[in-house]
Amino acid sequence: MELIRRLFRRAPPRIPGRLWAEALDSMPCLARLQDGDLRRLQALTERFLAEHAISGAGGFAVTDEIALRIAAQACLPVLNLTLDLYRDMAGVIVYPSAFIVRHSEVDEAGVVHEWEAPMAGEALDAGGAVVLSWEDALEDHEWDDGSNLVIHEFVHKIDMGSGGANGCPPFLAEFHQGIDPARWTRVFTAAYEDFRRRVDAMERRLPADFDEDDDEHLDRYAELAQGLPMDPYGAENPAEFFAVASEAFFVQPAALAAAYGQVVELLEQYYLQKALRAD
Ligand SMILES: [Zn+2]
């Protein structure tokens, strides 16, 4: 069925030139791409928009401009790979701002803990959607500080293609023959452990009574975090390390490349893109 559907699917709608040009101008993460790459990104984005629904939630209306920006960023990591990496996805859901997610966890004593927390983005496993807060996605474009929520969540989706998000994405026969999975695990595990040590050392320099509602404390945190090769959230677990390293790879790779050259080398082999623009 799938093949027949593909054969008879009409060509995806073309993105009007003015809309595409405006989208490119608004996203610093696409500035390093050369003209040929941008044309391929546009064609891939058109296919993405034809294949995946991007819908609003919490009263949010997704405009063409917003859908286009999300789709273009989602397509950046798979520009030289395949959209099939997003086949297992029930669309994209966009909230106006951070959304509340109910979490539950069973502790070692078997007690179930439940809590609610605001989230900027979430990639749901097992065929689920990618959920985004547009306010947070937009901040990444305005501040250009190396983070990119949309890329982050879609990288989780890629990672989930091989047995859940664990920091080891699926290696595809067509693209990744040159990657030794054992080396991937070795390099990423060593870098993750090192990064955790760096984040621990940074946190020891924070005020002992650190309060995340205190602006001075937050400024101090931001100042110390700038000394790290990437967002400290990458120390959370191997899946977050892979997602945060990928964000840095696509947006501001210099510090990551200086600290973890072998990670950047493997990400170049995985995404089949150069981290630093060759000019
Ligand atoms: Zn994440």
Side-chain angles (χ1 to χ4, degrees), residues 154-260:
F154 278 88
V155 166
H156 279 320
K157 208 67 202 176
I158 294 172
D159 190 1
M160 287 167 183
S162 61
N166 56 11
C168 188
F171 299 120
L172 309 178
E174 197 182 344
F175 303 106
H176 300 131
Q177 295 286 355
I179 298 179
D180 171 6
R183 176 164 183 252
W184 180 284
T185 304
R186 206 167 52 240
V187 166
F188 270 84
T189 303
Y192 169 65
E193 295 300 340
D194 178 78
F195 190 62
R196 282 186 56 151
R197 282 192 291 274
R198 292 188 196 213
V199 172
D200 283 347
M202 179 203 86
E203 287 177 346
R204 281 196 295 274
R205 294 173 64 193
L206 288 170
D209 59 345
F210 182 79
D211 175 1
E212 58 185 36
D213 293 323
D214 181 323
D215 282 348
E216 267 181 38
H217 286 186
L218 281 183
D219 286 348
R220 177 74 180 135
Y221 185 90
E223 186 192 326
L224 289 171
Q226 274 193 345
L228 293 169
M230 62 187 208
D231 189 316
Y233 189 58
E236 200 76 2
N237 57 50
E240 296 304 345
F241 183 84
F242 173 55
V244 175
S246 294
E247 272 178 85
F249 175 82
F250 286 109
V251 184
Q252 275 183 14
L256 180 70
Y260 305 121

Side-chain angles (χ1 to χ4, degrees), residues 130-151:
V130 166
V131 191
L132 300 166
S133 144
W134 181 243
E135 186 179 73
D136 290 270
L138 205 54
E139 271 181 10
D140 292 337
H141 303 160
E142 286 163 0
W143 294 3
D144 195 18
D145 64 350
S147 51
N148 186 298
L149 174 69
V150 180
I151 292 176

